[in-house]
Amino acid sequence: MTVSVKFFASLREQMGCDGATVEIGEVATVADIWLQASGGKAMPPNILVSINQEYCGTNDPVSSGDEVAFFPPVTGG
Amino acid sequence: MTVSVKFFASLREQMGCDGATVEIGEVATVADIWLQASGGKAMPPNILVSINQEYCGTNDPVSSGDEVAFFPPVTGG
Amino acid sequence: MKIEVSDNPLNPWEELQRYEQAQIGALNSGKVGAVATFVGTMRDFNEGDGVTGMELEHYPGMTENHLQQLAEEATDKWGLLDALIIHRVGRLLPNDPIVLVAVWSSHRKESFEACRWLMEALKSKAPFWKKEILESGDSRWVEKNTAGY
Amino acid sequence: MKIEVSDNPLNPWEELQRYEQAQIGALNSGKVGAVATFVGTMRDFNEGDGVTGMELEHYPGMTENHLQQLAEEATDKWGLLDALIIHRVGRLLPNDPIVLVAVWSSHRKESFEACRWLMEALKSKAPFWKKEILESGDSRWVEKNTAGY
């Protein structure tokens, strides 16, 4: 399946890109998507993740066509 | 001594006047001023009192020239 | 710091705009991180009755001095950078703003706490009295403010 | 209810004036007794360093949706009559307003609690990220918001 990946803020700078399209098998979690999109890097602690713009956990399952985002703790307001 | 007395809001309406000048002996408390200014009426419960525009108690002493005010619970804001 | 009791109509947002312009040196210093404001407006109902108007009375002199004391106390306690209180008196209609309290602070916690404390202190201590004009044509003095915490 | 994320300069008092005018049917109904607002502005200091500018990034779509959810949650929980959130993104300078939160309610307790809760929820959950430009010319991402209660 195909999943769209986005990185924001400091994580975007660390990854050197603001997103990617990931091809992965039909059963995959957010953590699997991270591994493939990051080229096997360890997931930073405190990272926040979302599927289709809703917060989720790193073990949540991903479906084809989903938008998965990774970002650091938020600092608005 | 001479003391200036003021009434506000519902108390002003009950007394039928917004103030008075009271002549009283040299030693007097706020309660004494009330008795004379009200013509001997009982002081309503919950009444608030001030001397020279600062909150005070009904047993506080009054000096010549003071402005003594009596008013109901406040309801601003 | 500004304290005002006035029988002129109160537009809180224009007052805030104007005050920040007037205080631009102090409030444009890079130290302000938080502005908390509260506006109390006149409702058309109270205790189950329709209310068509209101007369607000105060104790000229004492009211302003008391508000000033409250603003100074809040400034000391929460380290505020500035504070503004404007309160209407006279004749009001439903939807009219009655009171504006605004505080400027470096941090949001202090601004929220100070603004709320100032409103509660104002309502429980500052000498103002409301008389409501009811739909029936009768009028009545409001007897007591409700607690706000 | 209005939620806006914008890279245009934010004048909170003009926005409030304009919003109340636009919502005049709902907000002029005699039911509003309390308006609590909070404005967060950019300081020129943070963690002991001078800060000369800021870049604010967000997640287009998710940020707006999340703010909308928070405003709806606050409206339900405190029975608000209306709510407004405007948040800046892009390049900011010291003293620039960053965020405006405003809530309209019949009662002051609810307005204070809802406004503060919305700000804390926004700061802890809404996807925004600040990058500070320091006096030295270096820049750094703000790593974490401090707690506000």
Side-chain angles (χ1 to χ4, degrees), chain C residues 89 102 133 144:
Chain C
V89 288
I133 295 102
K144 199 170 180 297

PDB file of all heavy atoms in Angstrom, chain C residues 89 102 133 144:
ATOM      1  N   VAL C  89     -21.444  53.556  34.975  1.00  0.00           N
ATOM      2  CA  VAL C  89     -22.532  53.883  35.890  1.00  0.00           C
ATOM      3  C   VAL C  89     -23.622  54.555  35.059  1.00  0.00           C
ATOM      4  O   VAL C  89     -23.455  54.793  33.865  1.00  0.00           O
ATOM      5  CB  VAL C  89     -22.072  54.820  37.035  1.00  0.00           C
ATOM      6  CG1 VAL C  89     -21.191  54.068  38.018  1.00  0.00           C
ATOM      7  CG2 VAL C  89     -21.346  56.043  36.495  1.00  0.00           C
ATOM      8  N   ALA C 102      -8.636  44.538  32.392  1.00  0.00           N
ATOM      9  CA  ALA C 102      -7.556  44.010  31.544  1.00  0.00           C
ATOM     10  C   ALA C 102      -6.250  44.053  32.317  1.00  0.00           C
ATOM     11  O   ALA C 102      -5.990  45.025  33.033  1.00  0.00           O
ATOM     12  CB  ALA C 102      -7.435  44.825  30.253  1.00  0.00           C
ATOM     13  N   ILE C 133     -34.638  47.439  35.965  1.00  0.00           N
ATOM     14  CA  ILE C 133     -35.985  47.788  35.511  1.00  0.00           C
ATOM     15  C   ILE C 133     -36.545  46.550  34.808  1.00  0.00           C
ATOM     16  O   ILE C 133     -35.958  46.040  33.842  1.00  0.00           O
ATOM     17  CB  ILE C 133     -35.964  49.012  34.570  1.00  0.00           C
ATOM     18  CG1 ILE C 133     -35.502  50.241  35.347  1.00  0.00           C
ATOM     19  CG2 ILE C 133     -37.354  49.274  34.011  1.00  0.00           C
ATOM     20  CD1 ILE C 133     -34.097  50.643  35.122  1.00  0.00           C
ATOM     21  N   LYS C 144     -27.520  41.088  45.879  1.00  0.00           N
ATOM     22  CA  LYS C 144     -26.273  40.400  46.199  1.00  0.00           C
ATOM     23  C   LYS C 144     -25.676  39.858  44.912  1.00  0.00           C
ATOM     24  O   LYS C 144     -26.401  39.348  44.069  1.00  0.00           O
ATOM     25  CB  LYS C 144     -26.610  39.222  47.133  1.00  0.00           C
ATOM     26  CG  LYS C 144     -25.463  38.666  47.938  1.00  0.00           C
ATOM     27  CD  LYS C 144     -26.017  37.696  48.979  1.00  0.00           C
ATOM     28  CE  LYS C 144     -24.915  37.096  49.829  1.00  0.00           C
ATOM     29  NZ  LYS C 144     -23.968  36.282  49.080  1.00  0.00           N
TER      30      LYS C 144
END
